[in-house]
Amino acid sequence: MQDRRINRLKERLLAQADEVPVIRHLVEDNPRGDDMLGEVCRAAVLLHPSASFEQSLTLARTMAYIVFIDDYLEEDHPELDLGDYRRVCQNFLLWHNRDLSQMPLVHATVARKIEDQFREDEVPEEWTAMRRLVWEKSIWTMLQENHWLKHHERVTLDAYLANGMYSSSFPIVQVSILAFSYQDVSQELKNRIFGHICQAARVVRLANDLRTHEREAAQGRFNSVDLIFSGPSDRTLESAREAVHHLMEEEFEQLKKAIARERRTGITQSFLSHLIDSTQVLLDFYEVPRQGRPDRLLKAG
């Protein structure tokens, strides 16, 4: 059943003539793998297995855009940094009444499709502000990583993870799923749930770092593995990877405990369970094996 949905999602996305430049990027010459489109569609199904086909299509399209923007900033234009934030947002988002006719065609397509999703997903408009916010935060944090690289800055692990939970773009996907599922949620409850999403995003960031470290190192970039490896102790690269793995597991345990303490209501019970499940799905997706808890766990610092 899942395989059929994945193939249908791929076929639908490949059939969208106006999205060809974005989708082609995922199937041709992508540094992330040979079939990134298939990976995106598989992740969409795995992350929200109870979604309707149209909701899965939204998630797959959303992740395709994330990959496209990430590669645009990381691969094509690493010179862009925080000083270019407004211009980049105006290139990819309908930001401050941006005129689509003044944007490069592929960027205008992404901006229009993102806005169309906000209107067409049958999600109450009250969620639109939060959905826009996580897109903006994602772009800001991608540019922050470019800034660190451009200016040869090394930061603390805490600062890197605070930034990285947004640059992972996990909050974009989870806020979309939350919006699909829940309509009448108070702002206070949204804020609490978003805190759990951010904790889960730290786990995902660490898992992603383990998977992508070799590729990023070849590009001259750094992630949590390098920050630990370059610390004051006599670490090997392998021990640094193990330390990141242990930290990831500790963060995941903290997420589970925080959710266990959450005062649950009917409208949040299933989402909080989903959040744990989907975090584990991504650990499996990134092929990060489980390990026993170590005697000492590295603390971010």
Side-chain angles (χ1 to χ4, degrees), residues 253-272:
E253 289 301 315
Q254 289 174 359
L255 172 68
K256 293 175 183 177
K257 290 177 181 178
I259 287 178
R261 292 192 299 268
E262 180 68 60
R263 186 179 75 257
R264 304 195 189 192
T265 65
I267 58 174
T268 60
Q269 178 80 31
S270 59
F271 179 79
L272 293 174

Side-chain angles (χ1 to χ4, degrees), residues 226-238:
D226 302 287
L227 291 175
I228 292 173
F229 178 54
S230 62
S233 60
D234 297 328
R235 287 190 180 275
T236 64
L237 187 58
E238 184 57 35

Side-chain angles (χ1 to χ4, degrees), residues 145 156-170 198-214 216 223-228 240-255 279 282-283 286-289 297-301:
E145 291 180 356
T156 65
L157 187 58
D158 271 331
Y160 171 81
L161 290 177
N163 191 79
M165 66 186 181
Y166 285 103
S167 65
S168 72
S169 300
F170 187 68
C198 289
Q199 177 75 46
R202 286 170 64 96
V203 179
V204 171
R205 173 79 275 165
L206 291 163
N208 181 269
D209 284 358
L210 288 169
R211 183 181 185 181
T212 63
H213 175 257
E214 186 174 336
E216 291 180 337
N223 67 24
S224 57
V225 176
D226 302 287
L227 291 175
I228 292 173
R241 290 180 60 85
E242 290 175 1
V244 170
H245 197 295
H246 296 334
L247 179 59
M248 179 198 72
E249 293 218 323
E250 183 185 55
E251 293 276 352
F252 198 10
E253 289 301 315
Q254 289 174 359
L255 172 68
T279 303
L282 282 180
L283 300 193
Y286 290 143
E287 299 178 346
V288 178
L297 294 170
L298 179 73
K299 302 293 183 181

Side-chain angles (χ1 to χ4, degrees), residues 59-71:
L59 291 180
R61 176 178 282 120
T62 294
M63 285 186 275
Y65 293 166
I66 288 167
V67 172
F68 183 81
I69 294 173
D70 189 39
D71 285 349

Side-chain angles (χ1 to χ4, degrees), residues 186-203:
S186 70
Q187 188 61 49
E188 187 272 337
L189 187 53
K190 282 182 188 174
N191 292 341
R192 288 213 319 270
I193 293 174
F194 190 68
H196 296 312
I197 290 174
C198 289
Q199 177 75 46
R202 286 170 64 96
V203 179

